[in-house]
Amino acid sequence: MNGFLGTLANFNDVINTFVWTKVGVWLLLIVGIIMTCLTKFFQVSHIGHWMKKTVGSLFDKKVKGDTGEKASISQFQALCTALAATVGVGNIAGVAAAIMSGGPGAVFWMWVAAFFGMMTNYSENILGIYFRRKNASGEWSGGAMYYLEDGLGGYRGMKVVGKILAICFAICAVLASFGIGNMGQVNKIVVNFTSAFDIKALSSHVLYTSADGSASVTLYMLIVGIILMILVGFIILGGLKRIANVAETIVPFMVVAFIAGSLIIIFKNVLHIGPAFGAIFGSAFTGKAAWGGATGVALKQVITMGCKRGVFSNEAGLGSSVMVHSNSNVLEPVKQGLWGIFEVFADTIIVCTMTALTILTSGVIDLETGVAVTENDSTLVAEAFNTVFKIGRFEFGRYFIALAILLFAFTTILGWSHYGSKAVEYLSGNAAPIATIVYKVIFVLVIVCGAILTSSLAWDISDTFNGMMMIPNLIGVLSLSPLVMKLTGNYVDRRIKGKTDVKPMLSFFKNIEEENAKKIAETGED
């Protein structure tokens, strides 16, 4: 058995390295650059517009309030649910890992990946809204599988190719939802929470130890896993509306709290901000070691680690968040695309940057040598917070990070449960109502497995499936780039340049386009 698992792990490593390092990161960057150029650097040229229509419109009831419709959720709820899945452990432990492995220069390449990723996410959201349709329950269904089948498959001779890629994407999304979107997140929650808030009577009761003796599962971990299973089950079995309501409540709070805590540390170490940025830019382009020759980190690794962690953080290009953005009550495809730009901006440019500056200014890593106070990535951020929030023996920084990881990972589970259910809905066809219920029940039960499993192979394999989602998705985005250009130009002409003689492009389906155009005319929606 051990021989089989070893062979499986080696095989997965080969595929994972190919998907993420050899192809994935560079393909994501290339697609992001292409979409940025084709849309004429929309994220920069129209920054005032997309900021106004996203964060600047949060007091608009049509944007933030309950839609009162079974088919959709509000634009803000769609954003929060998407952020719930993307703002996760990667924003804390992932950034720390990038800095420890690739040096501070990795942060620069994380920004680069996010800058171009904004337009990849924008393009995905546009296509998701344009090709969405209502399912048997009257809810909107959209995602990469639909624009692959109807969009790419609509080209001459590409019907079978589009269908095959759509099925591959959906299968990988389901498998990834159980690993990266479930067990991996639960494992991080349990390990960090039980460590920070130790209860000796429970943690001393060991249920079993891994074969190599490196990890143990305690009664405490099992209890936390069961509690998580009950909470998650109550939320996701209540449907997308309940998930969206929870995300809308938790996500803004956890993001603001984390940013506030980070800013306190950064401003306390205000004299270190300059050196921190100097280290980021100074080691971003050097072919020598990132830490002044201390660790031998080459430029290629600096770029790879930064871009990879940026993608892990915001998921732009994976085609995952499109599945919830497509449930928005928005009538205009490009308007939801604007939220896609803001999603990447908030996730990586804001939250990940706060994590990076907290680490680099707090002194937990020596900017000259790269020597860190701990080798554990999530613990490193906790140590950074402890430099300010530790009082006597009470390590409030550690407690704060444990709670932050709990909330970040918990909401990630909620978001991915929706992604998986939408993929199952697509794959199961007419049997979708029953299939999605079965999926959700299994998804909830698997949570306990994440709490008690010690092997990393399960999450490594799901990480591979996560990466494999992006290949068919990016093929779809590239093949439909002319449509993205037309939709963007149509929107700019009507909404920004004020042309009144241009007919709106709202949906692939004529009946939905006519219905949406009528609603826009009646409500005067801009």
Side-chain angles (χ1 to χ4, degrees), residues 61-330:
K61 289 184 178 180
K62 290 185 293 185
V63 171
K64 193 173 185 295
D66 190 344
T67 63
E69 302 174 9
K70 182 181 179 180
S72 63
I73 56 179
S74 72
Q75 297 166 47
F76 183 66
Q77 285 178 322
L79 170 72
C80 288
T81 308
L83 282 175
T86 55
V87 178
V89 176
N91 295 76
I92 298 177
V95 175
I99 293 173
M100 294 175 75
S101 301
V107 178
F108 173 84
W109 293 105
M110 184 177 69
W111 292 337
V112 171
F115 176 79
F116 293 112
M118 288 180 185
M119 295 318 297
T120 306
N121 212 29
Y122 164 88
S123 302
E124 293 171 336
N125 283 358
I126 287 179
L127 296 172
I129 296 291
Y130 190 75
F131 286 98
R132 69 180 178 177
R133 75 288 315 276
K134 288 185 179 179
N135 61 18
S137 301
E139 297 178 344
W140 286 117
S141 291
M145 48 276 195
Y146 295 105
Y147 55 74
L148 281 167
E149 180 177 349
D150 295 331
L152 173 59
Y155 291 132
R156 180 177 297 179
M158 297 299 290
K159 183 177 181 179
V160 175
V161 174
K163 182 67 174 180
I164 291 174
L165 289 177
I167 292 173
C168 288
F169 173 87
I171 291 173
C172 289
V174 173
L175 294 173
S177 73
F178 285 112
I180 296 298
N182 186 322
M183 292 189 291
Q185 302 296 328
V186 171
N187 193 261
K188 277 290 186 181
I189 291 175
V190 170
V191 171
N192 280 277
F193 187 83
T194 57
S195 175
F197 303 96
D198 189 21
I199 300 176
K200 293 294 183 183
L202 298 176
S203 62
S204 61
H205 192 95
V206 179
L207 299 180
Y208 67 89
T209 304
S210 61
D212 60 3
S214 62
S216 297
V217 174
T218 67
L219 178 61
Y220 193 10
M221 292 178 173
L222 177 61
I223 291 174
V224 173
I226 292 173
I227 293 173
L228 286 172
M229 180 184 70
I230 294 171
L231 290 174
V232 172
F234 172 75
I235 296 170
I236 71 172
L237 293 177
L240 178 59
K241 284 280 189 180
R242 189 175 294 173
I243 293 174
N245 287 333
V246 172
E248 186 180 29
T249 302
I250 294 179
V251 170
F253 166 76
M254 72 182 189
V255 170
V256 170
F258 185 76
I259 291 174
S262 299
L263 287 174
I264 291 173
I265 296 169
I266 294 168
F267 285 120
K268 180 182 180 295
N269 300 288
V270 64
L271 297 179
H272 296 162
I273 295 177
F277 276 105
I280 290 172
F281 289 105
S283 60
F285 302 97
T286 54
K288 60 180 181 179
W291 296 107
T295 59
V297 180
L299 176 61
K300 181 179 179 181
Q301 184 174 340
V302 176
I303 297 174
T304 301
M305 283 304 301
C307 293
K308 187 175 181 180
R309 289 301 168 180
V311 172
F312 277 179
S313 169
N314 57 57
E315 296 182 12
L318 299 190
S320 50
S321 65
V322 186
M323 289 182 269
V324 70
H325 278 289
S326 297
N327 284 98
S328 166
N329 66 338
V330 74

Side-chain angles (χ1 to χ4, degrees), residues 12-69:
N12 180 71
D13 286 342
V14 172
I15 298 177
N16 188 281
T17 300
F18 175 78
V19 169
W20 278 112
T21 306
K22 302 292 185 181
V23 175
V25 170
W26 306 108
L27 183 60
L28 282 162
L29 275 177
I30 291 170
V31 172
I33 291 171
I34 291 174
M35 300 314 299
T36 295
C37 293
L38 291 179
T39 56
K40 301 176 182 179
F41 286 78
F42 190 97
Q43 71 270 55
V44 176
S45 59
H46 297 293
I47 185 171
H49 180 79
W50 65 258
M51 288 292 280
K52 177 183 176 182
K53 294 299 180 181
T54 54
V55 68
S57 64
L58 292 182
F59 293 104
D60 186 338
K61 289 184 178 180
K62 290 185 293 185
V63 171
K64 193 173 185 295
D66 190 344
T67 63
E69 302 174 9

Side-chain angles (χ1 to χ4, degrees), residues 127 131 147-148 151-152 155 475-484:
L127 296 172
F131 286 98
Y147 55 74
L148 281 167
L152 173 59
Y155 291 132
I475 291 173
V477 171
L478 272 180
S479 65
L480 295 170
S481 57
L483 176 59
V484 173

